[in-house]
Amino acid sequence: MNVVLYWHMHQPDYRDQRNGEYQQPWTYLHTIKDYVDMVAHLENNPAARAVVNFAPILLEQIDDYACQLEDYLHHGKALRDQLLSALIDPVLYLDTHKRLKLIKSCLRANRYRLIERYPLFKTLADLGQNAVKDPETLAYYSEQFFIDLLVWYHLAWLGETVRRKDERVKSLMERAGHYTMHDRHLLIELMHELISGVIGRYRRLAENGRIELSMTPYAHPMLPLLINFDVADQSQTEIQIPLSSQYPGGLERCRWHIEQGQAVFKKMFGFVPAGCWPSEGGVSAECLELLADMGIKWVASGETVLRHSLDRSGSDPVSCIHDAYTYKERDMACFFRDDGLSDLIGFSYSDWHADDAVANLLHHLEGIAKSCADVREPVVSIIMDGENAWEHYPENGYHFLTALYERLANHSRIRLTTYSEYLGLDQVSKINLDQIVAGSWVYGNFSTWIGEKDKNRAWDMLVEAKKTYDRVIGSGILSEQRCRDATLQLATCESSDWFWWLGDYNSAESVAMFDELFRLHLSNLYQLLEVESPDYLTRAFSVGTGSPAMGGAMRPGRQP
């Protein structure tokens, strides 16, 4: 039986395009922890195979951080990330507000796995939490406290494969505290090495045929909704759509995101990928037709999308859905996520012993193999977030991922493969789907991005900005460079991430952060268009009250 491990890497654009400053540090933190660890596990096992998906907007940010650190270390330039800058700047200009902000930033980590694992970091974090509760005590906190807190925060965010091998990290952790300027410089140099080298490491694995790389459209837009809001009711009846009837020019914007994504991907990796993970596995009939027309060889989506589509097509129930599909006899293959197995890794196995978790996964796979005995080349797709799950595992999933690759690669009845490699097998045939019910990998619908009042309000704000963009660009009054800048800023505004995080399901802190970012990006677009921003962009419009699993960064494929 064929098994594909498909890891999706993505962060939205955290840059303020006006000055290049990052509003959140998640891109570089996930790079030094998760993107580095994930490629190291693949490097460490020559028999391992996987498909790794990158959002092009993430690739650009990783490259930008590499350039920032190069300019800082060798050309005397300032860093454009406040947290990263605080780690290395010789003088910390900290008033009470900045001290509180810095402490809160250094507490944004998994308490159990990333903080309590290290006794001194826990002590520093506890002191920081006391200061947050009683800010008047901040006057008694020394500069050394903030330096040690910053160093430990970044040490905790390093990948486990780095922690186990790099002598500089071992030395810094043995020091435990009272870090010097030299220590901080060593850490920055290490981070520069990790960030500047990570894209090349994935590229080399792809060139050697050990992994397949794929992409998401440029800024991670929800393609089906850009094309037509009405597709949301195909999988969720009586859903409330925005006041705006549709997104202006959505089909052409989707085409632009695909073309721009391919251009960025080729710049980073040297080739155009065969496959595409549409943002959030979001597909519709129009979306699949567009991707096929643009030469995409394969796409993937969620299991519930497949089940809804099979039901709509009137197909007879089957015992095995683990196969390759196509839509209306197009050449492009469609693969669908096994929600049960993928969600076990994302939400359950983090509390298991690694060997038990992998044994349980193999048990499930062996059961699937029996039910698919009559299928010539069954293929099971385990598709999930490649960055947010591991902080919930012991040691960033080191033991689980090591065992996972070893057991799957060496199993006598499992072929660990990639989608393109699978499609090259002699006996592969694709099952035709006459109909596709539009949906995403989350619950098989679009409720995570549309239908709730705050999400719909965000769509209406984006529609108004797009109409202004169309009017100004069409007038021809802007320079070519300004038009290019405005188009890139519009793309960031079209990201699906803003809609994911808005609404009361998520935490107050997360909603406030992404509400602010979304309004910042829209305001920047109006500024680039030389149009006064609407007054409503000065006010927050969404409030979070929830406490979702895994902090809200991941959601299960099946409805709870």
Side-chain angles (χ1 to χ4, degrees):
M1 185 173 66
N2 300 279
V3 174
V4 174
L5 297 174
Y6 192 4
W7 310 115
H8 171 54
M9 314 298 197
H10 163 62
Q11 292 292 319
D13 196 347
Y14 295 114
R15 295 169 293 186
D16 183 337
Q17 191 172 316
R18 297 169 301 177
N19 53 25
E21 292 185 0
Y22 284 79
Q23 306 304 298
Q24 296 294 332
W26 305 121
T27 295
Y28 86 81
L29 290 175
H30 280 294
T31 302
I32 64 174
K33 184 169 77 71
D34 303 300
Y35 310 147
V36 164
D37 262 2
M38 293 298 277
V39 75
H41 283 290
L42 289 161
E43 291 169 336
N44 292 340
N45 190 331
R49 296 291 180 271
V51 182
V52 182
N53 187 81
F54 280 100
I57 198 75
L58 168 62
L59 292 171
E60 286 188 335
Q61 291 179 88
I62 293 173
D63 184 62
D64 185 50
Y65 270 107
C67 293
Q68 277 192 70
L69 288 163
E70 174 70 20
D71 286 343
Y72 174 84
L73 290 169
H74 302 295
H75 303 288
K77 300 286 185 66
L79 293 168
R80 289 178 278 106
D81 184 293
Q82 290 185 4
L83 188 62
L84 193 59
S85 180
L87 173 63
I88 192 59
D89 282 349
V91 180
L92 294 174
Y93 297 99
L94 298 177
D95 56 23
T96 299
H97 172 73
K98 289 181 178 178
R99 286 181 172 221
L100 280 174
K101 183 178 180 181
L102 184 57
I103 289 173
K104 290 178 180 178
S105 295
C106 291
L107 293 176
R108 293 194 297 175
N110 185 290
R111 175 77 191 189
Y112 181 52
R113 300 296 190 194
L114 267 67
I115 295 178
E116 294 186 2
R117 180 182 176 186
Y118 309 105
L120 184 55
F121 188 20
K122 179 183 181 300
T123 298
L124 294 167
D126 289 344
L127 287 169
Q129 286 182 321
N130 290 337
V132 171
K133 294 176 183 176
D134 186 5
E136 292 183 2
T137 64
L138 276 171
Y140 299 98
Y141 282 61
S142 69
E143 193 166 271
Q144 189 65 54
F145 164 81
F146 291 97
I147 292 170
D148 286 358
L149 181 65
L150 280 160
V151 171
W152 266 109
Y153 183 74
H154 288 86
L155 286 174
W157 268 90
L158 287 175
E160 190 65 23
T161 57
V162 180
R163 192 185 329 282
R164 288 168 176 258
K165 292 183 178 180
D166 194 282
E167 294 301 324
R168 291 165 294 185
V169 177
K170 293 178 181 178
S171 175
L172 288 172
M173 297 188 74
E174 288 172 1
R175 281 279 306 278
H178 299 286
Y179 293 112
T180 65
M181 194 67 217
H182 176 69
D183 297 328
R184 295 155 71 188
H185 192 82
L186 281 178
L187 189 51
I188 283 287
E189 286 183 330
L190 169 63
M191 293 166 62
H192 176 227
E193 292 171 15
L194 296 174
I195 295 171
S196 62
V198 69
I199 292 175
R201 293 168 69 181
Y202 283 100
R203 177 172 179 167
R204 285 188 291 276
L205 286 177
E207 290 171 345
N208 292 328
R210 292 174 57 184
I211 65 171
E212 181 175 6
L213 293 171
S214 68
M215 59 160 256
T216 294
Y218 175 68
H220 207 269
M222 181 53 78
L223 299 181
L225 296 181
L226 284 188
I227 296 172
N228 186 355
F229 289 154
D230 289 336
V231 299
D233 68 9
Q234 292 183 19
S235 52
Q236 188 180 11
T237 57
E238 300 182 0
I239 186 172
Q240 187 72 35
I241 66 169
L243 296 175
S244 307
S245 60
Q246 64 179 358
Y247 187 70
L251 185 62
E252 283 309 306
R253 288 302 300 154
C254 291
R255 187 182 301 276
W256 182 93
H257 277 278
I258 296 167
E259 291 175 342
Q260 183 69 10
Q262 289 173 327
V264 172
F265 189 99
K266 185 174 183 180
K267 177 184 176 182
M268 299 295 177
F269 294 117
F271 64 94
V272 175
C276 175
W277 171 250
S279 311
E280 311 294 0
V283 295
S284 64
E286 296 90 342
C287 169
L288 290 179
E289 289 169 355
L290 174 63
L291 290 165
D293 289 342
M294 297 189 70
I296 300 298
K297 301 302 181 186
W298 60 260
V299 298
S301 183
E303 178 183 326
T304 308
V305 172
L306 173 61
R307 293 192 181 276
H308 286 167
S309 300
L310 290 172
D311 290 345
R312 183 70 60 85
S313 299
S315 303
D316 295 331
V318 295
S319 60
C320 176
I321 62 170
H322 298 90
D323 214 328
Y325 295 80
T326 187
Y327 175 58
K328 289 189 173 180
E329 306 288 356
R330 302 297 290 260
D331 290 336
M332 184 178 72
C334 302
F335 299 96
F336 295 92
R337 178 183 193 261
D338 186 297
D339 285 344
L341 298 183
S342 304
D343 288 348
L344 280 172
I345 297 176
F347 292 90
S348 297
Y349 287 156
S350 58
D351 294 326
W352 291 39
H353 187 283
D355 291 338
D356 294 337
V358 174
N360 182 262
L361 184 72
L362 285 171
H363 174 73
H364 286 295
L365 286 170
E366 288 162 358
I368 291 171
K370 291 178 182 178
S371 67
C372 294
D374 295 334
V375 177
R376 285 184 296 181
E377 287 288 353
V379 56
V380 178
S381 295
I382 297 175
I383 305 175
M384 57 171 290
D385 189 310
E387 60 207 357
N388 289 304
W390 314 121
E391 70 181 75
H392 301 279
Y393 278 71
E395 299 176 25
N396 208 42
Y398 179 87
H399 304 288
F400 173 79
L401 288 165
T402 299
L404 179 70
Y405 285 121
E406 286 179 356
R407 295 290 299 278
L408 288 179
N410 295 317
H411 197 287
S412 61
R413 288 173 290 158
I414 288 175
R415 180 193 294 122
L416 201 52
T417 187
T418 68
Y419 288 128
S420 290
E421 189 177 85
Y422 169 81
L423 291 170
L425 297 175
D426 292 337
Q427 298 190 61
V428 168
S429 61
K430 298 190 284 288
I431 298 173
N432 184 60
L433 296 171
D434 291 326
Q435 297 191 53
I436 282 286
V437 176
S440 74
W441 74 269
V442 184
Y443 314 149
N445 60 37
F446 296 108
S447 62
T448 302
W449 301 274
I450 198 169
E452 191 268 347
K453 66 179 182 63
D454 293 345
K455 300 177 191 293
N456 286 352
R457 177 64 183 128
W459 278 111
D460 288 327
M461 292 159 68
L462 178 58
V463 166
E464 184 173 348
K466 178 58 162 57
K467 289 178 178 178
T468 303
Y469 168 89
D470 289 342
R471 174 174 56 80
V472 174
I473 296 297
S475 71
I477 62 175
L478 300 181
S479 67
E480 288 186 15
Q481 183 60 51
R482 181 59 69 89
C483 287
R484 285 194 292 270
D485 291 343
T487 300
L488 287 171
Q489 183 66 70
L490 173 65
T492 294
C493 296
E494 292 168 335
S495 168
S496 69
D497 295 86
W498 321 123
F499 307 96
W500 170 293
W501 287 102
L502 297 172
D504 60 6
Y505 168 88
N506 290 300
S507 70
E509 180 183 8
S510 296
V511 172
M513 178 198 314
F514 283 90
D515 177 302
E516 183 178 318
L517 276 169
F518 181 60
R519 290 184 290 113
L520 171 68
H521 288 309
L522 285 176
S523 298
N524 287 350
L525 175 59
Y526 280 105
Q527 184 175 351
L528 287 165
L529 296 172
E530 299 180 8
V531 174
E532 184 176 298
S533 297
D535 187 61
Y536 58 71
L537 291 181
T538 64
R539 299 183 294 273
F541 66 97
S542 187
V543 177
T545 60
S547 181
M550 307 304 190
M554 300 188 300
R555 295 188 184 179
R558 296 175 180 172
Q559 192 90 36

